[in-house]
Amino acid sequence: PVHCMREALKTAKAETNEDKEQQSAELQRKACLLLGALADGDADVATKIVEEDGLEAVLEAVNWYRYHEDVGNWALWAVFILSYENPPNKVRNVELGGVPIIIGTMQNVTECLEVARHGIAVLFDLMRDENTPGGANQSSQTHKHLDVWQIRRSALAAGLHEAVLTAMETFSDKIDIVMMGAELLAGTD
C-alpha cells in the first residue's frame, strides 16, 4: 500500500485535470486512513509501517495536499496513530520534517475541527517533557534520543504559536484543544 500511495502521489503531482486531481486527493486520504487503521492499537504494526516508509508517504501526501481538509484530517490522524507513545516513530517523524508539515497543515486548514484536534495532539505528544511519567523517552534506551527542546525550537520557527492560538480561538468550546493548546503555549514560553 505504501508503494502504491507514493506512486499515485508522484502521478498526481503532474496532473492538470481538476477532476483527476480530486480523485488523487481522495486516494491519498483513503491511503492515510488505511495506514492509520492498520496501526491503530498495535505498536509493532505501526513500527513496521514506519520502517516501510509509510509515515514518509503520509507526510508527503499531506504536504502536497496541504489545503485539502479531508487529506489533512486523515493524514494527521495517521501521523498520530503511527507516533503516539512510540519513541522510534516519533524520532522518524521529526527526522522527516513532520513538525513543520503538521503546523503548516493546521495553518492552511484552519476551519476543520479534526485537523486542529489531530495536529495539536501530535504536537502535544511530541513535545511532552521526557522526564515526566508517560513522557517521550520512557522506553528503551536503545532508541535514538528524542530532543524535545529541538522539536520545540523547530515548532516555534514553523509558527507553532500562531497555529495553536488560531485553533484555540476557532474551537474555544473544545476542551481538549484548549487544554493541550495551553500546555503547548506554556511549554514553549
Side-chain angles (χ1 to χ4, degrees):
V2 173
H3 176 74
C4 293
M5 182 180 181
R6 296 184 87 185
E7 288 299 311
L9 183 61
K10 192 184 307 180
T11 301
K13 288 181 178 182
E15 187 57 62
T16 57
N17 180 300
E18 194 171 318
D19 290 336
K20 288 186 178 182
E21 190 175 356
Q22 286 300 318
Q23 291 172 351
S24 296
E26 179 63 7
L27 183 122
Q28 294 299 313
R29 179 194 72 81
K30 288 179 178 178
C32 291
L33 176 58
L34 172 66
L35 294 179
L38 289 171
D40 197 7
D42 192 328
D44 292 334
V45 172
T47 298
K48 186 64 175 167
I49 288 171
V50 171
E51 288 172 358
E52 296 294 327
D53 296 330
L55 179 60
E56 186 173 2
V58 170
L59 290 171
E60 287 173 354
V62 75
N63 195 39
W64 180 254
Y65 291 106
R66 61 185 150 271
Y67 295 100
H68 196 285
E69 182 176 308
D70 293 329
V71 174
N73 173 25
W74 291 107
L76 294 186
W77 175 77
V79 170
F80 179 77
I81 295 297
L82 292 169
S83 301
Y84 182 67
E85 294 188 352
N86 190 322
N89 289 0
K90 287 182 189 184
V91 169
R92 188 67 184 136
N93 187 352
V94 172
E95 290 172 347
L96 293 169
V99 171
I101 291 170
I102 293 161
I103 292 169
T105 303
M106 291 175 62
Q107 291 170 328
N108 293 325
V109 185
T110 58
E111 298 300 317
C112 179
L113 170 63
E114 296 306 319
V115 166
R117 180 173 279 142
H118 300 317
I120 286 178
V122 173
L123 295 169
F124 182 82
D125 187 50
L126 281 171
M127 289 190 251
R128 287 189 294 172
D129 187 351
E130 62 190 45
N131 296 316
T132 60
N137 273 340
Q138 292 296 308
S139 64
S140 171
Q141 295 299 323
T142 62
H143 301 303
K144 290 182 186 177
H145 177 67
L146 190 65
D147 186 346
V148 175
W149 288 105
Q150 180 165 346
I151 295 168
R152 290 175 183 172
R153 285 189 297 276
S154 169
L156 287 169
L160 173 74
H161 287 168
E162 297 82 5
V164 169
L165 283 171
T166 298
M168 290 172 69
E169 290 169 356
T170 304
F171 304 106
S172 59
D173 60 330
K174 303 300 178 195
I175 193 72
D176 55 343
I177 290 175
V178 173
M179 297 285 288
M180 285 188 289
E183 287 291 324
L184 284 169
L185 293 175
T188 55
D189 294 327

